[in-house]
Amino acid sequence: DAMRFLRSGLRARLPILAIALAAITLVLLVVAHTPPVRARVQRAAIAWLRAHAGITASVDELSYDLLRLDVSLQGVRLSAVDSPTPFLIARRVRIDIPWSAVFGAPRLQTIELDEPVVSIVRGTSGLSNLPGPTGTADGPLVTRLPIGRLQVNRARLTYEDEANGVR
């Protein structure tokens, strides 16, 4: 019977197919962690922030682990697209994403900032260095992003109001 022959052939090949699928997955994970791919991911994330959040970002180094969903950024500088003054400079930013966020609602498990400097500057024109509201015609880009834990280590906050001479 032809169906029995096909089923027995498929059963015999199933372990080989499973091994091949596991090998392909492993190769893709290894390739995704190579420096050229990380550099491309970093450029894409920076471009996305600029286009969708009005933020210009620079990062000295990006590393991530796709199995643990852990991202680490070294030498982070964030500024509004139209401002030369960064509103955030941090030596390191580490982000943990829970697996539930991969297929469900976006959320972050942990954000850890090492030595952040938050600077708010209001110029003589009355405009600040903070990014303005962003979004689409349908509404804001992100309305809610739950964060399980925020840890800030050795932070500094500066405020300057050039219009009123306040520092």
Side-chain angles (χ1 to χ4, degrees), residues 57-139:
S58 70
V59 176
D60 293 341
E61 181 183 335
L62 164 73
S63 62
Y64 52 80
D65 183 333
L66 293 176
L67 293 176
R68 292 185 339 197
L69 295 181
D70 177 80
V71 179
S72 182
L73 308 160
Q74 304 285 336
V76 176
R77 295 175 62 89
L78 302 178
S79 60
V81 169
D82 55 353
S83 174
T85 306
F87 62 87
L88 176 69
I89 299 172
R91 185 180 62 77
R92 184 177 77 103
V93 176
R94 194 177 70 75
I95 302 168
D96 285 329
I97 304 165
W99 275 101
S100 62
V102 173
F103 300 107
R107 64 181 298 262
L108 301 177
Q109 186 169 319
T110 304
I111 297 178
E112 184 178 339
L113 301 163
D114 286 340
E115 300 175 22
V117 177
V118 177
S119 299
I120 301 171
V121 178
R122 184 172 167 254
T124 55
S125 66
L127 297 175
S128 80
N129 65 325
L130 299 174
T134 59
T136 66
D138 297 327

